[in-house]
Amino acid sequence: MLHAIVAALRDSRGFAHKRDISDIVTALGRALPGGTADLSQAVPIGDDCAVIPDGNGGYLLFAIEGLVEDFITRMPWFAGYCGVMVNVSDIYAMGGRPTAVVNALWSAGMQPADEMLKGMAVASAKYGVPIVGGHSNNRSERPQLAVSILGRAKKLLTSFDARPGDRLVMAIDLRGAYEEPFPYWNASTATPGERLRGDLEILPLLAEEGLCDAGKDISMAGAIGTALMLLECSGVGATIDIDAIPRPAGVPLLRWLTSFPSYGFVLSVRPDKVDAVLARFAARDLAATVVGDVDATRKLMLRQGSQHEELWDLQRDPFICEAADSESDAQVAHA
């Protein structure tokens, strides 16, 4: 069974979309005047948000998300809602708090633009993040949506600070349901805004209180793919027990491993901080468990019972890094 899960993850749509990042970064690096060195001329690339020091000991956070066309066509309201929700999650995943969002919207008239805007408005109110402007085109042949967000952080959670010896923790809100037929686990739209904001506030508090400094929010790559991106950025490896990952009752394991939860985070935590971190999530009825251990191998191994299988060797095959035939050392892209 584990061998089949490994093969399915490697071939999954979520993994494929993340692997495309390598092509984008490689092409951009080759086009810049200074080559790939220019990719990090302002800020390191590779986190859920760009991080820009604000000159006062804190950080500005800046991110953007785009929605795929088939999702917008079939579920325009939820696509609009998710455009705000996923950006908010990116800000909190970095230890920050969101400030405002803008959007770029294309539609053939007010349908589906009207539904997308309604979804964005509801999410804006729930998460307490104002929509302050954007770009619109109502004479487009196909609907498209991108949403960008600005936030601030006092201390950071990053993709670059996982260390050998850390414990990998996954925290997920299991109080939801799938938005069929898509792999989106929705624990947000029916939840009061006060609870949503309180659950997310755990992340910046973990950073500010020195309980954690490394993590990512679970993206379309799923729990395992997100962990792989964190490991690659940090230059480490890990072994993950897939049966330890928090999972709703009755959901098949493979479907869950390729799902995108509205609230889900992978954290790399020093062993002496694990109990305190788990207690923060438990206090808000969020499922959080230790799912594995970080090591120096630069390989991601999966474990299920007595079975062990290598999912990825980052030394041999980069996941989101620049292509191996590049002219300079690997850089990683916004993920």
Side-chain angles (χ1 to χ4, degrees), residues 115-129:
E115 287 299 306
M116 285 192 280
L117 290 166
K118 287 177 180 177
M120 282 187 275
V122 171
S124 170
K126 276 183 176 280
Y127 288 102
V129 185

Side-chain angles (χ1 to χ4, degrees), residues 124-160:
S124 170
K126 276 183 176 280
Y127 288 102
V129 185
I131 300 171
V132 297
H135 165 84
S136 62
N137 182 335
N138 266 7
R139 300 180 184 276
S140 174
E141 292 183 1
R142 299 185 299 177
Q144 302 287 339
L145 175 65
V147 181
S148 187
I149 192 166
L150 186 68
R152 290 186 175 274
K154 298 176 183 177
K155 295 188 70 175
L156 295 173
L157 300 171
T158 83
S159 297
F160 297 95

Side-chain angles (χ1 to χ4, degrees), residues 170-228:
M170 289 190 185
I172 305 174
D173 190 348
L174 303 182
R175 300 165 292 188
Y178 279 110
E179 289 289 336
E180 302 289 1
F182 296 99
Y184 307 139
W185 181 259
N186 178 7
S188 177
T189 56
T191 302
E194 183 179 4
R195 195 182 91 189
L196 292 174
R197 296 189 296 273
D199 290 347
L200 287 165
E201 182 66 13
I202 294 172
L203 283 304
L205 291 177
L206 290 179
E208 290 162 11
E209 295 174 21
L211 293 175
C212 184
D213 60 7
K216 292 186 74 67
D217 69 329
I218 297 176
S219 69
M220 285 301 297
I224 299 298
T226 300
L228 182 58

